[in-house]
Amino acid sequence: MSRDDACFPQPTAAWCNTSLPFAARAALLVAALTLDEKIQQLSTFTPQTVPGVLRVGLPPFSYHSEGLHGLRNSFDTLGLNATLFPQATALAASGDIDLIRRMGSAMLEEARALSNHAEQLQLGPFGRGSGLFYWSPTMNLGHDPRWGRFQESISEDPLLNGLYSAVFLQGFQGNNTRYLGVAATCKHMLAYSLEASGNATRHNFSATLSEQDLHETFVPAFQQCVLNGRPAQIMCSYNAINGIPACLRGDLLNGLARSRWGFDGLVVSDQDSILDAWNGTKQHPGHFYGQSQENVSALAILAGCDQNDGSTYAKSLAGALSQGLVAAADIDVALTRILLQRFRVGAFDPPQLCPYRSIRTSALDSTTHRALALEAARKGVVLLSNTDAVLPLTEPDALPTKIVAVIGPLANDTASLAGGKPDYHPSFTITHLEGIRRRMARFGSAPTFAAGCERVVECSEKGIKLAEQAAAAADTTIVFVGIDGSIEREGNDRTTIGLPSDQLDMLKRVVAAARSEVIVVLCNGGPLSIGTWPRVRTRSNS
């Protein structure tokens, strides 16, 4: 029997009856499991898979896939390239909400193409590069500009964050009335904007919020995401809110999301934040809330956190049950919510019933999707000023007849173009320098290049002098400066919001040495302050 058959390997099981509503089938499947089997199904075991239950026909499954601006891990799993779109902050800067929805739709096609291809190859449980449960979008407010994950999110504005997330979900989950394209996620709920500062980390930090600030600043984006995006999942965050770990905040998960907003999906914790709620690890101590791991796991289940990303539920819920901290009926409620989403993505149904199962690999990195990514890149560029109307550099009059110097550590950097994560794999990458070279090659000319800095935080005297020489000889100097994943990333906050001091020094010296116009291009995810930049000789900052 092939993987394409419904309910492998027992298609005659009662819960495989496709004429029944998904909710009824999920309840039948839960009823078919023993209590120990149910507990094992409540953890994701990331990066492994949730074990199957062969005797009832339940196959293993991976709940962990991600993709904010394209699909992560596509090449790692299947050797296939997915379309890479600009990072979330750039997409938000476009101001084009329909563009976000169209990107979501393109990602849906590519996600299903990967999943269908993996299924055809009978590769086993769908892994991170070919799954159907996506922990995206990241929609936390950029509440602190130093936050290491600022570029993954959208903005500091609750309204924009909610609108962006909702339309992204509309495109990514699809508009079929029966099946989800993918099971996407509003994450991370709530008040998450710190990776590490002093002795505080995201694993033990407690955000202190007034009720007014909570409901006026942090809640609205998630409310809009739930009401208008109708997500299959919500992910609760690592941090605590006023002393209570976010995944244990029943007033937010069961109260706001479910009772007031009508959320009917599953709530999953961030990477073992249930472990963090008690003691965490030696490397990352937790909140030390709730007196024991069994108690914390029970509190999370009762608060509405159905699924633990990790293995803590699997290890501790049996003990919680034996201590009377949680009831078997509570386990059933949580597991029904989880399995319902697997029915909604068509994981247990014959492929002919789910229209998304017909999408093939031709959708990956297609001409149409590449064109959409190019449109998004163009619309995401923000012009800060254009002193003396130096831009645009018109063709064919300007570039062929001018000496153009391209300078900066990010001018020819490919890693930063992937948005801070190393596991996005586009089929090609065109750096800023290469783009200018291609444009000028049309007219038989080429730019000069000097990196100026070996890294974004390190500029040698030799490198700076070469940059000064290039600027002194050029009619137009284009300087690419900014930040990258070495100082801004998940797990690492910045300590300042200015340009790294070595780069700023290099920029000042290049401006002083330049004999003509200087165009500065910022390459950054999180905000950058330009208050101390040189002004006199700089013609344009873009």
Side-chain angles (χ1 to χ4, degrees), residues 63-243:
Y63 287 93
H64 186 185
S65 290
E66 296 191 43
L68 299 177
H69 54 117
L71 308 178
R72 293 176 64 182
N73 303 106
S74 65
F75 195 84
D76 300 336
T77 304
L78 297 173
L80 296 171
N81 298 110
T83 306
L84 182 65
F85 296 88
Q87 182 57 288
T89 47
L91 288 161
S94 73
D96 188 337
I97 294 301
D98 184 61
L99 174 68
I100 312 305
R101 183 184 289 106
R102 287 186 286 147
M103 180 189 71
S105 296
M107 288 174 57
L108 162 55
E109 291 185 12
E110 299 201 4
R112 276 291 180 165
L114 288 168
S115 177
N116 294 339
H117 185 60
E119 188 173 34
Q120 283 185 322
L121 297 177
Q122 298 187 348
L123 294 181
F126 304 148
R128 292 178 66 180
S130 56
L132 294 174
F133 278 54
Y134 275 82
W135 293 339
S136 308
T138 298
M139 50 172 295
N140 298 90
L141 293 180
H143 197 57
D144 187 320
R146 299 167 297 178
W147 182 35
R149 298 183 73 174
F150 199 115
Q151 64 178 301
E152 290 185 48
S153 192
I154 297 153
S155 75
E156 70 282 8
D157 178 56
L159 177 63
L160 178 58
N161 282 30
L163 180 59
Y164 179 114
S165 301
V167 298
F168 174 79
L169 282 162
Q170 291 166 13
F172 200 19
Q173 292 194 149
N175 57 9
N176 186 270
T177 57
R178 180 170 173 81
Y179 291 101
L180 290 173
V182 301
T185 312
C186 298
K187 74 174 191 183
H188 313 78
M189 193 173 176
L190 194 66
Y192 170 33
S193 60
L194 179 140
E195 302 299 303
S197 178
N199 293 325
T201 73
R202 61 183 179 173
H203 303 278
N204 61 21
F205 174 70
S206 180
T208 302
L209 306 177
S210 68
E211 284 297 304
Q212 180 177 359
D213 198 19
L214 175 68
H215 290 280
E216 290 184 356
T217 305
F218 294 95
V219 165
F222 283 89
Q223 180 177 6
Q224 191 170 7
C225 186
V226 170
L227 292 178
N228 297 327
R230 309 304 303 177
Q233 306 181 77
I234 288 174
M235 178 177 282
C236 51
S237 57
Y238 289 107
N239 59 280
I241 304 164
N242 295 333

Side-chain angles (χ1 to χ4, degrees), residues 387-408:
T387 307
D388 297 335
V390 69
L391 293 173
L393 299 176
T394 57
E395 298 173 348
D397 299 327
L399 288 180
T401 59
K402 287 188 174 183
I403 300 172
V404 177
V406 176
I407 292 171

Side-chain angles (χ1 to χ4, degrees), residues 155-427:
S155 75
E156 70 282 8
D157 178 56
L159 177 63
L160 178 58
N161 282 30
L163 180 59
Y164 179 114
S165 301
V167 298
F168 174 79
L169 282 162
Q170 291 166 13
F172 200 19
Q173 292 194 149
N175 57 9
N176 186 270
T177 57
R178 180 170 173 81
Y179 291 101
L180 290 173
V182 301
T185 312
C186 298
K187 74 174 191 183
H188 313 78
M189 193 173 176
L190 194 66
Y192 170 33
S193 60
L194 179 140
E195 302 299 303
S197 178
N199 293 325
T201 73
R202 61 183 179 173
H203 303 278
N204 61 21
F205 174 70
S206 180
T208 302
L209 306 177
S210 68
E211 284 297 304
Q212 180 177 359
D213 198 19
L214 175 68
H215 290 280
E216 290 184 356
T217 305
F218 294 95
V219 165
F222 283 89
Q223 180 177 6
Q224 191 170 7
C225 186
V226 170
L227 292 178
N228 297 327
R230 309 304 303 177
Q233 306 181 77
I234 288 174
M235 178 177 282
C236 51
S237 57
Y238 289 107
N239 59 280
I241 304 164
N242 295 333
I244 303 175
C247 292
L248 277 58
R249 290 288 303 243
D251 58 330
L252 301 179
L253 304 181
N254 281 334
L256 275 181
R258 289 197 167 101
S259 297
R260 291 186 58 182
W261 303 341
F263 173 65
D264 58 0
L266 75 93
V267 175
V268 57
S269 77
D270 207 337
Q271 178 70 56
D272 236 337
S273 54
I274 306 302
L275 181 67
D276 289 337
W278 172 227
N279 61 354
T281 64
K282 286 185 178 181
Q283 184 179 7
H284 300 296
H287 297 281
F288 291 95
Y289 182 91
Q291 301 175 337
S292 72
Q293 196 64 71
E294 288 79 11
N295 189 42
V296 161
S297 294
L299 290 172
I301 288 286
L302 295 174
C305 181
D306 310 298
Q307 188 178 53
N308 151 234
D309 175 27
S311 57
T312 301
Y313 277 177
K315 295 175 181 177
S316 63
L317 278 176
L321 279 162
S322 68
Q323 296 173 44
L325 301 173
V326 69
D330 300 316
I331 302 296
D332 286 354
V333 169
L335 183 55
T336 301
R337 290 171 178 156
I338 294 169
L339 293 175
L340 177 58
Q341 307 314 312
R342 285 174 68 172
F343 281 99
R344 294 182 72 198
V345 297
F348 302 123
D349 288 359
Q352 63 269 22
L353 294 183
C354 178
Y356 301 116
R357 299 281 286 277
S358 63
I359 299 174
R360 295 294 173 245
T361 55
S362 57
L364 290 162
D365 196 32
S366 67
T367 301
T368 301
H369 293 173
R370 284 190 185 184
L372 181 61
L374 178 60
E375 177 188 349
R378 286 171 171 163
K379 289 183 174 180
V381 174
V382 177
L383 182 65
L384 298 182
S385 66
N386 194 17
T387 307
D388 297 335
V390 69
L391 293 173
L393 299 176
T394 57
E395 298 173 348
D397 299 327
L399 288 180
T401 59
K402 287 188 174 183
I403 300 172
V404 177
V406 176
I407 292 171
L410 293 171
N412 201 36
D413 179 72
T414 57
S416 62
L417 297 180
K421 297 283 188 178
D423 40 18
Y424 287 95
H425 296 287
S427 58

